Amino acid sequence: MNTILNNPYRIVGLLVGATAKEQTKQISRLKKYIEAEQDPQDDFSFPALGNLHRTLDSIEEAASKLNLDNDKINAALFWFWNGNPITDEAAFEALKSGDIEAAYEIWDKLITKTNEAGKKFWRPVTEKNYSAFHNCSVLNIIRANGNLQNAIVASLYFLESDLVHTFVSSVADETHKTNKKELQLLFLNQLHSDIEVNNILSLSKFLEILNKQEFVAKQDFIKGFVQRAIEQIEQKIENAKNKRKANKANAAKTGQELFTTTVSDLTQLKSIVGANDLKFTSISDKVANEVLQCSIDYFNDSQEKDVSSDYAEIAMKLAKQAETLAVGKLMKDRVKDSIETLADMKDRELSQAIDLLKSVKDA
């Protein structure tokens, strides 16, 4: 996960909450090491988490990202924070020595409890464990056998708590203003981006995890995702429309591609907003309409050119696929009429062929 492995705090070897003085001292120290072609092993870059190649340029770039409060908070959401020295420092020492599991166990015990039946439960977020929720989430995202679902839930528990303001005040200047919703959206948008790039969790599973949680940014995040999904589907419709108009002989292939590339998108959208949501019904009908139009244009073009292939059967298959996507009454009626017309045309052609064969036989 790039947000953790190449986090500015990791590159400069500092924990979240380091002071400006500590940052200046550490950067100066790092530059001396690199100029001597060495890499310090005693800072907070935790080599056990993954490879880290530092250069003078990468240090300068990382340092520049730790100057502005917004950038610092964005980076802090995906790096370790010493919010409770009593427990956190022991976990950091374990990470320095390469014992990732020992660090995980320290934090995990603070945020979960196990009942007599062996089932785990989340503990309430308190001043004693709030940094453990954050740190355990970061570690769970990056460790080899980590549980990404638990990482997401732990982070949202922490970001939903009132204690998150202590985290913010340790990172940014006291004049910096933010709120739970903004922090949660920063976290979720960046995490979603990394999940897509690394392909480590399906989108449907990601949204399923979020739908089970209650947090203030939930509706805003899902709304933003829904809008992006609709825009992507609309772009696919527009591309199909342009290809169909440019080459009607190939319209059946164009329609099939549109159906294949959007059917899973529509299924996901329906699972998020519901089958009766206007946004879903509208975009699903738009896809159905374009798929049907591809069927009609292909049939008409093939009939005009008197092609030898079984174009009626191909057009019918496409029309029936459009039928599976139609939601509104007008769209359903249009698909139904087209299917009936195609069936009539096919029967008429078959009847004409039989009459022709009979006349040949009579002759």
Side-chain angles (χ1 to χ4, degrees):
M1 297 288 279
N2 186 60
T3 49
I4 295 175
L5 290 178
N6 293 314
N7 192 288
Y9 280 107
R10 186 187 188 213
I11 292 172
V12 299
L14 292 170
L15 295 171
V16 171
T19 65
K21 184 178 180 181
E22 289 171 332
Q23 182 175 320
T24 301
K25 182 179 178 181
Q26 172 65 2
I27 291 171
S28 175
R29 175 173 176 265
L30 270 179
K31 287 180 177 179
K32 290 178 182 178
Y33 267 94
I34 290 174
E35 287 170 353
E37 296 184 351
Q38 296 178 5
D39 196 7
Q41 300 296 310
D42 60 342
D43 61 16
F44 296 100
S45 59
F46 308 129
L49 297 178
N51 293 329
L52 177 64
H53 176 64
R54 292 188 279 204
T55 64
L56 289 174
D57 288 341
S58 68
I59 291 169
E60 287 287 354
E61 184 181 356
S64 69
K65 293 178 180 177
L66 297 178
N67 288 331
L68 299 177
D69 284 340
N70 280 334
D71 293 338
K72 285 167 70 176
I73 288 176
N74 201 22
L77 289 170
F78 292 92
W79 195 243
F80 301 100
W81 173 45
N82 190 3
N84 184 347
I86 296 174
T87 53
D88 290 337
E89 288 182 3
F92 296 145
E93 288 304 313
L95 284 177
K96 281 184 178 181
S97 66
D99 196 343
I100 294 175
E101 292 308 306
Y104 171 75
E105 288 175 9
I106 290 171
W107 286 321
D108 184 61
K109 287 178 181 178
L110 290 168
I111 65 177
T112 63
K113 57 183 177 181
T114 306
N115 65 11
E116 294 179 355
K119 187 175 180 180
K120 272 190 170 184
F121 294 90
W122 295 102
R123 295 180 186 272
V125 180
T126 67
E127 291 183 353
K128 292 182 178 180
N129 67 8
Y130 61 163
S131 60
F133 271 92
H134 171 75
N135 292 328
C136 198
S137 172
V138 173
L139 190 57
N140 241 340
I141 291 173
I142 197 64
R143 73 190 186 110
N145 56 340
N147 187 316
L148 187 54
Q149 177 171 338
N150 284 350
I152 295 169
V153 174
S155 192
L156 288 176
Y157 270 34
F158 168 61
L159 295 174
E160 183 68 10
S161 74
D162 292 332
L163 293 166
V164 75
H165 296 296
T166 306
F167 172 75
V168 173
S169 63
S170 73
V171 177
D173 187 85
E174 60 182 12
T175 60
H176 181 75
K177 302 298 180 184
T178 188
N179 54 50
K180 293 179 187 178
K181 183 184 288 188
E182 289 175 353
L183 290 170
Q184 291 168 11
L185 289 174
L186 272 175
F187 170 74
L188 292 173
N189 283 321
Q190 184 58 59
L191 183 63
H192 177 228
S193 177
D194 268 19
I195 285 173
E196 279 192 320
V197 170
N198 294 280
N199 196 28
I200 56 175
L201 186 70
S202 69
L203 183 57
S204 58
K205 182 62 178 177
F206 181 53
L207 293 171
E208 179 187 328
I209 294 169
L210 298 185
N211 270 322
K212 290 180 180 178
Q213 309 307 314
E214 291 301 326
F215 53 98
V216 293
K218 182 176 180 178
Q219 293 306 317
D220 284 52
F221 179 76
I222 291 177
K223 181 182 176 182
F225 170 77
V226 166
Q227 187 57 39
R228 288 193 297 273
I230 289 173
E231 288 172 359
Q232 290 171 357
I233 295 172
E234 286 179 335
Q235 186 58 56
K236 291 177 182 178
I237 294 171
E238 189 63 27
N239 292 340
K241 186 183 295 183
N242 292 334
K243 289 171 69 175
R244 169 176 57 81
K245 290 180 177 179
N247 187 354
K248 292 184 178 181
N250 208 32
K253 183 180 178 181
T254 299
Q256 184 62 55
E257 287 176 353
L258 177 61
F259 177 82
T260 303
T261 59
T262 58
V263 66
S264 61
D265 295 337
L266 291 169
T267 301
Q268 282 187 345
L269 188 60
K270 182 169 68 172
S271 69
I272 298 167
V273 300
N276 297 320
D277 184 86
L278 182 60
K279 292 184 288 290
F280 166 71
T281 58
S282 176
I283 195 66
S284 191
D285 278 349
K286 286 181 180 179
V287 177
N289 185 65
E290 182 55 33
V291 171
L292 180 64
Q293 197 59 51
C294 286
S295 168
I296 293 169
D297 284 9
Y298 170 74
F299 180 87
N300 291 337
D301 185 75
S302 299
Q303 191 176 53
E304 287 175 10
K305 295 175 180 176
D306 196 22
V307 298
S308 57
S309 63
D310 190 5
Y311 59 86
E313 188 65 33
I314 295 172
M316 178 65 82
K317 178 186 174 183
L318 202 55
K320 287 184 176 179
Q321 287 179 323
E323 187 178 31
T324 65
L325 301 178
V327 181
K329 186 178 185 305
L330 289 175
M331 192 62 231
K332 284 184 175 181
D333 289 344
R334 182 169 185 245
V335 175
K336 182 181 177 182
D337 290 343
S338 296
I339 289 175
E340 289 175 354
T341 300
L342 285 170
D344 290 342
M345 295 291 287
K346 187 175 181 181
D347 290 342
R348 191 181 307 167
E349 287 183 348
L350 184 60
S351 178
Q352 289 172 348
I354 292 172
D355 289 342
L356 176 62
L357 288 173
K358 185 177 180 183
S359 66
V360 171
K361 180 181 178 183
D362 291 342

